[in-house]
Amino acid sequence: AGRPGAGLESAAAALASDGIAGVTTATFEATDTASHDAFVNGVFDAGDVDIVLLAFGVLGDQAEAEADPDTAVQIATTNYTGAVSVALRVATRLRTQGHGVLVVLSSVAGDRGRRSNYVYGSTKAGLDTFAQGLGDALHGSGARVLVVRPGFEGGRIGRVA
């Protein structure tokens, strides 16, 4: 619920008030992969980019996803296919400019399939593996990938790879 990107605007304002200059936000539709070229090119054509935070996804309802495979496909399309589509385009532009970091927000839910959220968790597991491989592919280009896996694991919160 709410307007897409509304939280981004307040986060950017908070960063700016902390003295971090040049924070720009942009929103897009993850499932509309045909629009991703224009979206990513528009961001990079506006100027040099140091950090891209790829942070989106839907948890969905596990019971609904089990009862209706189309719901499971929608979750996978948003969380995995949309992320792959954008990340590859961002990586190409970071490689071309010779520097920058793609920060991919994953989840510890991808570490192990759990009855309560295995559809969501499987999308994050795929994203995690994809992002690690993308980081390997960028090696030597000046661009990097950082995978962040927030969530509870063994009593700890968060994990970075």
Side-chain angles (χ1 to χ4, degrees):
R3 185 171 51 84
L8 288 176
E9 294 162 4
S10 62
L15 288 169
S17 72
D18 286 344
I20 298 173
V23 177
T24 304
T25 65
T27 60
F28 69 102
E29 172 53 50
T31 61
D32 183 10
T33 57
S35 71
H36 292 175
D37 265 336
F39 168 73
V40 170
N41 288 332
V43 169
F44 278 83
D45 289 348
D48 199 56
V49 176
D50 292 318
I51 299 172
V52 174
L53 176 59
L54 191 146
F56 64 88
V58 294
L59 176 60
D61 181 278
Q62 181 65 37
E64 185 179 336
E66 289 177 15
D68 178 13
D70 290 337
T71 298
V73 168
Q74 187 64 30
I75 294 168
T77 300
T78 300
N79 295 359
Y80 183 73
T81 305
V84 167
S85 175
V86 169
L88 284 169
R89 288 169 170 85
V90 166
T92 296
R93 293 299 300 257
L94 291 174
R95 184 184 289 116
T96 298
Q97 75 178 17
H99 69 91
V101 179
L102 171 61
V103 179
V104 177
L105 194 63
S106 184
S107 172
V108 295
D111 285 349
R112 181 176 62 87
R114 291 170 178 80
R115 172 71 181 100
S116 62
N117 67 354
Y118 66 84
V119 170
Y120 171 80
S122 69
T123 68
K124 292 304 182 174
L127 177 59
D128 221 88
T129 300
F130 168 81
Q132 290 174 44
L134 182 58
D136 290 346
L138 289 173
H139 182 75
S141 71
R144 301 183 301 125
V145 174
L146 173 67
V147 179
V148 179
R149 298 178 196 100
F152 287 96
E153 181 179 283
R156 298 181 334 208
I157 299 177
R159 196 167 88 203
V160 176

